[in-house]
Amino acid sequence: MVGGVTIEERIREEALFGRLPLLKEEREYSTRGIISTGFTYAVAAWCFLIGGYSANVVGAVQGIVTLVCGCTIGVIMSAAASALACNRYGLEQIDYTKSCYGQRGARLILLFYIINQIGWTGMILVMFGKGVTNVAAGLGYDGGENLVRLCVLAGLVVGYWVINKGVHVLNVFNSIVFPGLLIVTGFLYWAIFKSADWATICAQPPIDPQDPGLNYILSFEYGLGAGFSWWPGIGFLTRNTDTQRNSLYPQVLTMGFGMGVVCCTGLLAGLVFRSYDPTVWMIQVGGPLFGVLSLLLVAIANVSASAMMMYTAALALRHIGALRALPWGKLTLLGFIPVLAYVIMPSRLYDGGSAFLAYNATMFAPISAVLLVDYFLLRRGRINVSQVFEDAPEGHYWFWHGFNLPALFCAFFGMGLYIWLLNPVTYAAHGPVRFLTASGPATVLPMLLYAILAYLFLVGKSGGYRDTLDALPLRKSNL
Amino acid sequence: MSDELFEQALQVELVKRIDAVSSYTEEDFGRISGMEWMVFLLLGLLIPCVAVWWAA
């Protein structure tokens, strides 16, 4: 027994929230459980922000179609391979990606995983700071940029405290936040349609359109980016589901379609009240009382969500050998350091949020595409679990010095292709992006290329594609 | 010492769990048939793509 906790309890904790494969009898989510958890994740404060970005570039009808369809497609593409594999083998997401990208190559993918978590954490903490600043301004106090900075810092401190108290504190936060956000979403829809009828909303032009031929594509990419943003969280949830169907369909319904619908609140409110920023339009929609109450709830939701993301980011850092032995307090602190950039220049990074949103599609569309080919086409939906934890060069997933070079090449090729087609920062567009989108070619071409390269250089030669699936003794465990 | 004990127990538990998970079959988690996949992809990818094409 250590500090009042038995070794059995620590192992159980390691299975639920760490890297040990989760057994069938330990899975907690049946259909109802995963649907309610999925909605808890999907109805998040950033949905209002994502909808606002679309309001910048398109009108109501185009915005609704692109957000709902983009979120749905993004979640299907990012969930299909990961959800089924993580469910069947009870594996954590990055552990599963080792079968495709290699033991060391998966750490490169981990980098994108952590960028996603840190980026969203910073964004929603600035949103929290801006919300508080706007509430203070409504009460006659102009805190300006410094108040935003102070709030981001305070959010980080609370988040750090929460994740060091344990995941149970997060569950308490979420039990308050989810019903509250659901009520806020319903209230916002009611208030929007009270302010303007459907014909008036449809007649509203976009707030800040870019290139006329590109606006629609940008909004679709925002929807796809929102869907692909779930890639890091998929394994964490689906390893805990009881069937293959429950690992896939509820995610599409909740984090895909459901999230798209909630994003539309931000879109419609943005169009009617002429601001992409929810911390501005929420007070206009709800008035001084309900607007401030909604903002306060969103603020709590943002701190809760940021703590959750930093929790999973810290768990992911355990994949790096040098960090594995660090005490939990220091490991989590390490994850918080890059978020300090949002304390230094909050508004600048917040205003570039739409670029970050599109960048999620840039990162995860090709990564998911290669995983799909590897798991379904090359491995026929089966991996050797023992080899996921094998760190010796003789292991199946060692490839070349721990890297599956064709897979990594195809993923990076896809990212480069996306940026060439549509630069998410400058909006510079090339090639057929106006007809094919950027995510489309950045998904399909890496899939085709990887299938060819894998048959030429991998299958039957390296990567354990035709080797036994029976558990093998571990030479050097990576846990 | 207690951390060392935990590390040892963790490795033993890992091997036990790998054996257990490796013995699972497709039927243990309810296999998704080829037809079901087709319907899922049709509803999940084709219809949204057509909707996006229509709204453009």
Side-chain angles (χ1 to χ4, degrees):
Chain A
M1 188 180 283
V2 188
V5 181
T6 63
I7 285 181
E8 288 74 25
E9 283 169 337
R10 283 181 71 183
I11 285 183
R12 166 84 180 139
E13 193 89 348
E14 186 64 30
L16 268 181
F17 305 110
R19 292 182 47 211
L20 279 176
L22 209 53
L23 302 176
K24 191 173 188 297
E25 57 272 21
E26 291 173 326
R27 314 290 173 93
E28 289 181 342
Y29 298 139
S30 57
T31 308
R32 189 187 290 180
I34 191 65
I35 285 178
S36 62
T37 308
F39 273 122
T40 311
Y41 276 68
V43 185
W46 52 63
C47 295
F48 304 131
L49 198 55
I50 294 166
Y53 293 141
S54 274
N56 271 339
V57 290
V58 290
V61 174
Q62 288 197 329
I64 290 170
V65 171
T66 50
L67 284 174
V68 174
C69 295
C71 286
T72 307
I73 294 171
V75 169
I76 288 176
M77 292 303 293
S78 52
S82 302
L84 296 189
C86 292
N87 164 261
R88 175 158 178 185
Y89 298 106
L91 287 174
E92 187 270 333
Q93 178 96 344
I94 293 293
D95 274 325
Y96 154 62
T97 59
K98 286 173 182 169
S99 67
C100 174
Y101 291 100
Q103 291 290 347
R104 290 177 174 165
R107 289 179 205 160
L108 292 176
I109 306 302
L110 177 69
L111 188 69
F112 298 112
Y113 179 115
I114 290 172
I115 289 173
N116 169 282
Q117 304 286 292
I118 285 170
W120 276 118
T121 302
M123 287 295 294
I124 58 177
L125 283 179
V126 178
M127 189 178 159
F128 157 62
K130 287 202 172 261
V132 172
T133 308
N134 288 341
V135 170
L139 299 171
Y141 173 72
D142 181 17
E145 185 91 338
N146 283 335
L147 184 57
V148 179
R149 288 193 175 101
L150 195 68
C151 291
V152 176
L153 198 60
L156 286 176
V157 172
V158 174
Y160 181 72
W161 176 79
V162 167
I163 60 176
N164 278 284
K165 278 281 166 193
V167 80
H168 313 292
V169 181
L170 277 172
N171 291 338
V172 175
F173 261 86
N174 285 339
S175 64
I176 304 165
V177 164
F178 170 62
L181 279 181
L182 210 57
I183 292 167
V184 166
T185 305
F187 167 73
L188 289 174
Y189 267 117
W190 174 79
I192 291 164
F193 283 102
K194 191 167 164 269
S195 304
D197 59 24
W198 178 240
T200 312
I201 294 172
C202 288
Q204 293 292 325
I207 304 164
D208 181 23
Q210 306 285 322
D211 176 341
L214 210 57
N215 290 320
Y216 185 67
I217 295 297
L218 275 177
S219 182
F220 187 41
E221 291 294 340
Y222 294 156
L224 288 167
F228 278 114
S229 289
W230 289 116
W231 188 87
I234 294 285
F236 186 73
L237 280 178
T238 55
R239 70 197 283 264
N240 216 340
T241 51
D242 59 352
T243 65
Q244 294 268 284
R245 288 180 184 86
N246 282 339
S247 75
L248 184 60
Y249 303 149
Q251 273 55 259
V252 177
L253 178 72
T254 57
M255 297 193 290
F257 183 80
M259 185 194 190
V261 171
V262 181
C263 287
C264 291
T265 326
L267 166 81
L268 301 182
L271 287 169
V272 172
F273 296 96
R274 311 309 294 164
S275 171
Y276 84 91
D277 189 347
T279 66
V280 173
W281 58 250
M282 219 168 256
I283 292 181
Q284 292 175 277
V285 176
L289 179 64
F290 289 108
V292 168
L293 282 177
S294 304
L295 268 183
L296 282 176
L297 190 80
V298 168
I300 297 169
N302 284 351
V303 173
S304 162
S306 65
M308 188 68 206
M309 281 188 292
M310 292 316 290
Y311 184 88
T312 51
L315 281 179
L317 285 174
R318 281 184 170 170
H319 287 278
I320 300 167
L323 303 179
R324 205 172 297 147
L326 271 185
W328 180 245
K330 285 184 182 165
L331 191 69
T332 49
L333 194 62
L334 205 64
F336 275 97
I337 291 170
V339 193
L340 289 175
Y342 286 86
V343 178
I344 298 163
M345 42 185 179
S347 292
R348 195 171 162 199
L349 291 172
Y350 188 72
D351 292 340
S354 59
F356 173 69
L357 182 58
Y359 192 68
N360 279 291
T362 317
M363 290 187 288
F364 295 119
I367 288 173
S368 307
V370 172
L371 280 170
L372 280 168
V373 171
D374 193 79
Y375 187 69
F376 287 114
L377 184 71
L378 305 177
R379 298 196 186 278
R380 317 263 161 81
R382 287 160 157 220
I383 58 173
N384 188 321
V385 189
S386 68
Q387 298 306 290
V388 167
F389 295 94
E390 178 60 84
D391 224 14
E394 295 82 5
H396 291 181
Y397 307 136
W398 189 253
F399 298 94
W400 289 281
H401 300 283
F403 298 93
N404 180 356
L405 294 180
L408 288 165
F409 170 77
C410 292
F412 287 117
F413 164 74
M415 291 178 203
L417 180 66
Y418 186 110
I419 292 169
W420 178 74
L421 286 165
L422 178 65
N423 187 317
V425 179
T426 62
Y427 298 124
H430 296 97
V433 65
R434 287 176 177 80
F435 311 103
L436 298 177
T437 74
S439 294
T443 303
V444 175
L445 289 182
M447 282 173 107
L448 294 173
L449 187 62
Y450 182 59
I452 295 166
L453 291 180
Y455 279 118
L456 284 176
F457 300 111
L458 293 174
V459 179
K461 300 180 181 89
S462 171
Y465 288 93
R466 297 290 175 263
D467 289 339
T468 178
L469 296 168
D470 296 334
L472 300 170
L474 290 181
R475 295 178 177 90
K476 186 183 171 193
S477 164
N478 63 21
L479 184 71
Chain B
M1 184 61 188
S2 51
D3 275 348
E4 272 176 35
L5 273 177
F6 172 67
E7 277 303 316
Q8 284 171 10
L10 194 65
Q11 295 305 327
V12 172
E13 185 67 23
L14 173 65
V15 172
K16 277 196 330 203
R17 281 170 183 264
I18 286 172
D19 287 339
V21 168
S22 300
S23 69
Y24 293 154
T25 63
E26 284 185 332
E27 277 63 37
D28 284 331
F29 294 100
R31 187 175 162 271
I32 297 177
S33 67
M35 178 59 79
E36 196 174 335
W37 264 111
M38 289 301 290
V39 173
F40 170 66
L41 293 178
L42 190 76
L43 289 174
L45 290 179
L46 193 63
I47 292 177
C49 285
V50 171
V52 169
W53 172 78
W54 165 80

